[in-house]
């Protein structure tokens, strides 16, 4: 009884329904796409922070707190990206360490 | 990213308190001003705050209807204090009336100082909220470590 239940649970993992996979690719919701989207977002936040510093220095921009908040946003999003990168590399290394 | 919302809301609070501080500075600087372009003494100014969903743009209001409705704060206006000017006897002053009285701005120095402390503390509270939001985000990243 138990083994059957486990097999039933494993099956969808081993062979994902082809339709679902295709529709996912059509919508462009792949992991790579999501990753590149979030990296673009991090990059835009970095650029925003850069611009905020420049505008503060030239005296035409926003106040001190807007600049500092822009820096904070850039910092936190960058750290999040680094964590994701660390996880990906850890997974890659684990796979590479697999005995053949 | 959702944690950015907290930062944006606190940012609006910082901006609002900065405007309030500017108004208080103006009141303190003009505490003895008897001459204004509008005529008469300087009139004490005060700020009016309003809760505004998002940054008041159509997109933000729509977003807030769909998701949680967390209002930011906006300065909707700077109003004049309606109190009567203080009359002081000073016949030498060019702004004195025919009885020798000069209309001085009715600004209470102590009141302005208390408002300034309040503005400073509110500003600090917003900074503390930003720091807490950032700390939470950074703590969440430690889960994966």
């Amino acid at each position: 009884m138990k083994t059957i239940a486990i097999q039933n649970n494993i099956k969808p993992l081993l062979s994902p329904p082809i339709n679902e996979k295709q529709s996912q690719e059509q919508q462009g919701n792949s992991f790579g796409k999501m990753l590149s989207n979030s990296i673009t977002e991090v990059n835009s936040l970095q650029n925003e922070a850069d611009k905020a510093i420049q505008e503060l220095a030239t005296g035409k921009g926003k106040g001190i707190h807007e600049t500092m908040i822009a820096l904070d946003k850039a910092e936190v999003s960058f750290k999040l990206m680094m964590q994701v990168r660390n996880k990906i590399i850890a997974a890659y290394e684990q796979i590479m360490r697999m005995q053949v | 990213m959702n944690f950015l919302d907290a930062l944006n809301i606190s940012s609006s609070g910082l901006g609002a308190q900065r405007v309030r501080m500017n108004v208080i500075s103006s009141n303190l600087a003009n505490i003895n001003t008897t001459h204004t372009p509008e005529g008469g003494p300087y009139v004490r100014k005060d700020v009016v705050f309003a809760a505004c969903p998002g940054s008041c743009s159509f997109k933000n209001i729509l977003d807030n209807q769909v998701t949680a409705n967390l209002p930011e704060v906006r300065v909707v206006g700077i109003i004049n204090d309606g109190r009567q000017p203080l009359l002081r006897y000073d016949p030498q002053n060019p702004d004195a009336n025919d009885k020798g009285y000069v209309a001085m701005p009715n600004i209470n120095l102590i009141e302005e100082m208390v408002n300034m402390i309040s503005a400073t503390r509110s500003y600090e509270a917003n900074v503390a909220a930003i720091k807490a939001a950032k700390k939470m985000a950074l703590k969440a990243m430690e889960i994966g470590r």
Side-chain angles (χ1 to χ4, degrees), chain B residues 46-62:
Chain B
D46 217 341
V47 280
V48 183
F49 294 144
C52 179
S55 43
C56 283
S57 71
F58 176 75
K59 183 184 171 292
N60 278 314
I61 290 170
L62 190 68

Side-chain angles (χ1 to χ4, degrees), chain A residues 3-99:
Chain A
T3 46
I4 292 168
I6 289 169
Q7 272 179 346
N8 283 342
N9 283 334
I10 286 176
K11 249 186 189 169
L13 274 177
L14 291 176
S15 57
I18 298 163
N19 295 344
E20 206 175 281
K21 202 178 176 186
Q22 274 180 342
S23 68
Q24 268 188 353
E25 275 172 1
Q26 279 167 356
Q27 285 169 1
N29 280 341
S30 65
F31 177 69
K33 184 101 178 175
M34 192 197 74
L35 196 65
S36 83
N37 275 348
S38 51
I39 289 175
T40 313
E41 198 179 332
V42 171
N43 190 40
S44 79
L45 283 169
Q46 293 281 337
N47 286 339
E48 219 169 88
D50 214 26
K51 208 178 119 205
I53 294 172
Q54 240 174 42
E55 283 185 354
L56 183 72
T58 52
K60 67 174 173 183
K62 310 159 189 172
I64 300 167
H65 68 265
E66 276 111 340
T67 310
M68 292 310 293
I69 286 169
L71 289 178
D72 264 8
K73 281 180 189 172
E75 183 195 340
V76 175
S77 57
F78 190 80
K79 277 189 177 161
L80 180 62
M81 194 193 71
M82 290 303 283
Q83 289 297 325
V84 173
R85 187 207 70 152
N86 290 346
K87 277 285 167 201
I88 292 170
I89 288 179
Y92 170 77
E93 278 177 347
Q94 240 170 26
I95 288 168
M96 291 309 281
R97 255 187 267 130
M98 210 186 288
Q99 294 283 331

Side-chain angles (χ1 to χ4, degrees), chain B residues 1-81:
Chain B
M1 272 183 248
N2 216 1
F3 89 98
L4 294 184
D5 292 352
L7 294 187
N8 289 335
I9 291 170
S10 294
S11 172
S12 76
L14 291 176
Q17 294 303 327
R18 196 182 54 189
V19 173
R20 188 177 170 205
M21 186 65 220
N22 289 348
V23 169
I24 293 169
S25 301
S26 170
N27 287 340
L28 285 174
N30 286 297
I31 199 160
N32 288 318
T33 304
T34 55
H35 219 84
T36 52
E38 301 88 43
Y42 174 85
V43 181
R44 184 179 171 273
K45 305 275 190 289
D46 217 341
V47 280
V48 183
F49 294 144
C52 179
S55 43
C56 283
S57 71
F58 176 75
K59 183 184 171 292
N60 278 314
I61 290 170
L62 190 68
D63 284 348
N64 284 319
Q65 291 300 315
V66 179
T67 58
N69 193 17
L70 287 174
E72 292 184 358
V73 60
R74 280 282 174 278
V75 178
V76 286
I78 296 173
I79 54 163
N80 286 334
D81 194 321

Side-chain angles (χ1 to χ4, degrees), chain B residues 78-138:
Chain B
I78 296 173
I79 54 163
N80 286 334
D81 194 321
R83 278 180 280 189
Q84 287 300 308
L86 213 62
L87 289 176
R88 194 207 283 166
Y89 186 69
D90 183 8
Q92 305 300 316
N93 196 306
D95 288 320
N97 62 10
D98 42 358
K99 285 177 184 166
Y101 283 94
V102 186
M104 302 294 286
N106 199 353
I107 296 172
N108 189 344
L109 183 65
I110 298 163
E111 190 186 327
E112 296 306 317
M113 294 307 284
V114 169
N115 282 340
M116 193 161 76
I117 291 169
S118 164
T120 313
R121 292 288 175 260
S122 303
Y123 197 91
E124 282 172 10
N126 280 298
V127 171
I130 290 172
K131 278 188 182 165
K134 191 185 162 191
K135 223 176 182 177
M136 280 168 78
L138 291 177

